[in-house]
Amino acid sequence: MDDRLSKQFALLLELDKLKSVLRRTRIKPAGGRYENSAEHSWHVCMMAILLQEHANEAVDVAKVIKMLLVHDIVEIDAGDVIVYNTAVAAEQHQKELAAADRLFGMLPDDQADELKTVWLEFEQAQSAEAKFAKALDRLLPMFLNSHNEGQSWRENDVKREQVLSVNRRIEQGSSVLWEKAQEIIQDASNKGWLKG
């Protein structure tokens, strides 16, 4: 039991590093500091609790929350890359796979297998829970950008078509939230925060 507990605490300590991984979105108020990945994970879990009724299919919200809590752990090693930088997507995916092996591998085998399976399910986005979790993960930065004058889009020269293309998968998890996302995109375009 001591070895098992030691492994669990080793990962818990390692997870503290997620608080140092900065994302491209600033917290409120506009112009505030950049959010970190741990804050993002908490925030998107709250979205799951509050918005579960808008999933296209009935979902096990506890499973959705588990996915959202583990989905960005790999950023401890791989870092965060803005979703609109599609040029580095394949390379980033390989870094994240290696990170998943290392980080989940710190745990006892049964927990390592369970969490990696949950992480892979999120990445593959085939189950109802994974589709909904992905939808929320894509919607949250858009929602924050819409309340920060398009900050992340403007700073990274993101175009309207990129936002539509990358975030279209929201519809697979929630057609209601995809409608909301399109409203956000249109409003940002009207205000000049998204070009093209």
Side-chain angles (χ1 to χ4, degrees):
M1 190 60 164
D2 287 340
D3 184 50
R4 182 176 179 85
L5 190 59
S6 294
K7 288 179 177 180
Q8 291 165 333
F9 271 99
L11 180 63
L12 287 169
L13 184 59
E14 193 73 3
L15 293 179
D16 193 61
K17 293 179 180 176
L18 198 58
K19 299 173 188 173
S20 298
V21 177
L22 296 182
R23 296 174 52 83
R24 303 299 188 275
T25 305
R26 294 184 185 273
I27 64 168
K28 289 290 294 168
R33 66 171 172 78
Y34 288 104
E35 74 172 340
N36 65 53
S37 287
E39 292 168 324
H40 164 75
S41 294
W42 165 81
H43 206 176
V44 76
C45 285
M46 289 301 302
M47 283 184 85
I49 292 167
L50 298 175
L51 302 178
Q52 65 183 300
E53 67 192 73
H54 303 296
N56 286 343
E57 303 172 58
V59 294
D60 175 351
V61 75
K63 187 174 183 182
V64 172
I65 290 169
K66 185 181 280 189
M67 284 181 186
L68 293 170
L69 285 172
V70 302
H71 82 287
D72 278 342
I73 287 174
V74 295
E75 292 180 0
I76 291 170
D77 289 355
D80 180 61
V81 175
I82 192 166
V83 70
Y84 304 109
N85 187 350
T86 55
V88 299
E91 179 186 343
Q92 182 68 9
H93 181 67
Q94 290 306 312
K95 287 180 182 178
E96 290 180 355
L97 282 172
D101 287 340
R102 182 186 83 78
L103 292 161
F104 299 132
M106 295 175 70
L107 287 168
D109 290 344
D110 62 319
Q111 288 182 318
D113 290 345
E114 176 191 0
L115 291 186
K116 187 167 182 190
T117 298
V118 167
W119 180 78
L120 286 170
E121 184 178 346
F122 173 84
E123 289 296 306
Q124 294 162 356
Q126 297 302 309
S127 68
E129 286 80 10
K131 289 175 187 176
F132 186 58
K134 281 277 190 185
L136 297 172
D137 189 45
R138 292 286 167 88
L139 182 60
L140 181 57
M142 293 176 58
F143 176 69
L144 293 175
N145 263 326
S146 73
H147 289 84
N148 279 333
E149 300 175 356
Q151 164 267 318
S152 180
W153 295 321
R154 290 183 296 109
E155 287 179 2
N156 295 282
D157 197 32
V158 176
K159 307 290 187 259
R160 182 179 195 276
E161 278 308 311
Q162 288 175 280
V163 177
L164 282 168
S165 175
V166 167
N167 293 297
R168 191 171 309 279
R169 72 181 318 161
I170 291 172
E171 187 174 23
Q172 295 173 13
S174 173
S175 56
V176 171
L177 297 181
W178 176 235
E179 287 178 24
K180 181 64 176 171
Q182 290 176 91
E183 289 173 17
I184 290 170
I185 294 166
Q186 187 59 52
D187 185 57
S189 298
N190 292 345
K191 291 177 177 171
W193 301 339
L194 282 172
K195 305 293 183 194

